[in-house]
Amino acid sequence: MEEKIYSMPRIGDKAPEFKAVTTQGEINFPSDYSGSWVILFSHPADFTPVCTSEFMTFASMAAKFEKANTKLVGLSVDGLYSHIAWLRTIKEKIEYKGMKDVEVKFPLIEDITMSVAQKYGMMMPGESSTKAVRAVFFIDPKGVIRTILYYPLSLGRNFEEIYRVVLGLQTADAFSVALPADWQPGDDVIVPTAGSCGVAKERMESKEEMKCYDWFFCTKKLDKQKILDTILKK
Ligand code: BEZ
């Protein structure tokens, strides 16, 4: 049988639009989320162990994301009643790593036809042609895709990294800086590379609080509290 190839939107693309039924009612995506950051993440199926551990972790961190003006929207390749039953089971029966009585308040999209999963290239025939892989799309307040993470079925996502990506994207936007490897709020940030010989010379001679490893690689301090005061809701 011929293998189907699904295309995937890329960083910088507008998030593909769709209307969907969810556990929180119908949504129009991404227009309902205009003005907020959104994390759209997919799961292969309900009532599966890796997905359950991920869902509980995300739900437990929902308030943290909300404070960073970031809404969570999940998708699983199953029907609405299965979703409702799964979320009830999570709340009523599952205790995992100190998390219990976890109520999932963000929408979980019903995608039994895989129409949304296909639009976002969440299908990976090499993994499974009937399940969505663990994709994470970070979408900005203007509906533009800014980061994509893509995990296989066998590996649960790192939610601290997902939170770091949210803070990193917002910090880079708010302060016009880039962020080095393993950056965490409070670490030095990278100032934009000099675009002319004059600026490069100025950089190297500057007495400003900047550390230049070479003319193209300069960092400066950016106070953690200043970042949090700027990007987190009061
Ligand atoms: C899981 O979430 O546990 C899972 C789902 C699909 C395939 C493998 C694992």
Side-chain angles (χ1 to χ4, degrees):
M1 206 169 66
E2 205 180 304
E3 223 179 50
K4 268 198 178 160
I5 306 292
Y6 299 104
S7 66
M8 187 174 184
R10 288 173 296 187
I11 291 175
D13 285 343
K14 278 273 182 192
E17 293 177 1
F18 62 84
K19 192 182 212 168
V21 170
T22 83
T23 49
Q24 301 289 327
E26 205 168 273
I27 59 168
N28 286 294
F29 197 91
S31 56
D32 286 353
Y33 298 90
S34 171
S36 296
W37 287 79
V38 188
I39 298 178
L40 174 66
F41 57 101
S42 58
H43 291 269
D46 298 350
F47 292 101
T48 47
V50 181
C51 293
T52 300
S53 69
E54 291 189 313
F55 233 78
M56 292 182 76
T57 309
F58 236 151
S60 301
M61 292 172 74
K64 232 169 126 169
F65 285 100
E66 183 59 44
K67 221 164 177 236
N69 188 29
T70 303
K71 310 268 186 241
L72 305 177
V73 180
L75 173 151
S76 176
V77 181
D78 258 312
L80 182 65
Y81 298 118
S82 166
H83 285 358
I84 292 170
W86 183 37
L87 300 190
R88 284 175 64 92
T89 302
I90 286 175
K91 176 159 168 53
E92 288 162 16
K93 298 203 182 127
I94 313 269
E95 184 170 349
Y96 172 70
K97 284 198 166 171
M99 295 178 278
K100 64 175 186 179
D101 196 24
V102 173
E103 188 167 352
V104 175
K105 294 187 181 147
F106 53 81
L108 175 56
I109 296 168
E110 159 180 82
D111 198 29
I112 195 83
T113 60
M114 295 188 284
S115 72
V116 178
Q118 287 172 8
K119 255 189 183 170
Y120 276 79
M122 291 162 170
M123 315 308 300
M124 195 172 142
E127 276 278 4
S128 163
S129 54
T130 57
K131 290 177 162 64
V133 289
R134 301 180 198 288
V136 190
F137 288 84
F138 297 77
I139 298 163
D140 74 14
K142 292 186 176 145
V144 175
I145 295 172
R146 299 289 300 277
T147 300
I148 301 168
L149 302 177
Y150 212 64
Y151 286 58
L153 297 184
S154 53
L155 177 63
R157 287 162 273 211
N158 181 321
F159 289 82
E160 287 306 329
E161 171 61 1
I162 291 173
Y163 185 62
R164 190 188 78 100
V165 170
V166 166
L167 295 187
L169 290 170
Q170 295 191 22
T171 300
D173 283 3
F175 296 95
S176 303
V177 292
L179 306 167
D182 294 334
W183 175 86
Q184 293 286 348
D187 292 350
D188 289 358
V189 298
I190 295 174
V191 296
T193 303
S196 69
C197 293
V199 175
K201 183 166 180 289
E202 270 171 35
R203 284 270 170 88
M204 293 306 282
E205 292 168 356
S206 167
K207 299 276 173 292
E208 211 193 315
E209 297 258 316
M210 217 186 276
K211 178 171 180 175
C212 287
Y213 299 89
D214 202 339
W215 66 270
F216 66 92
F217 182 9
C218 296
T219 62
K220 66 175 183 183
K221 299 214 170 304
L222 182 53
D223 182 58
K224 178 175 180 175
Q225 200 54 48
K226 189 171 173 187
I227 295 174
L228 301 183
D229 287 348
T230 304
I231 65 182
L232 298 188
K233 290 184 193 165
K234 302 285 173 287

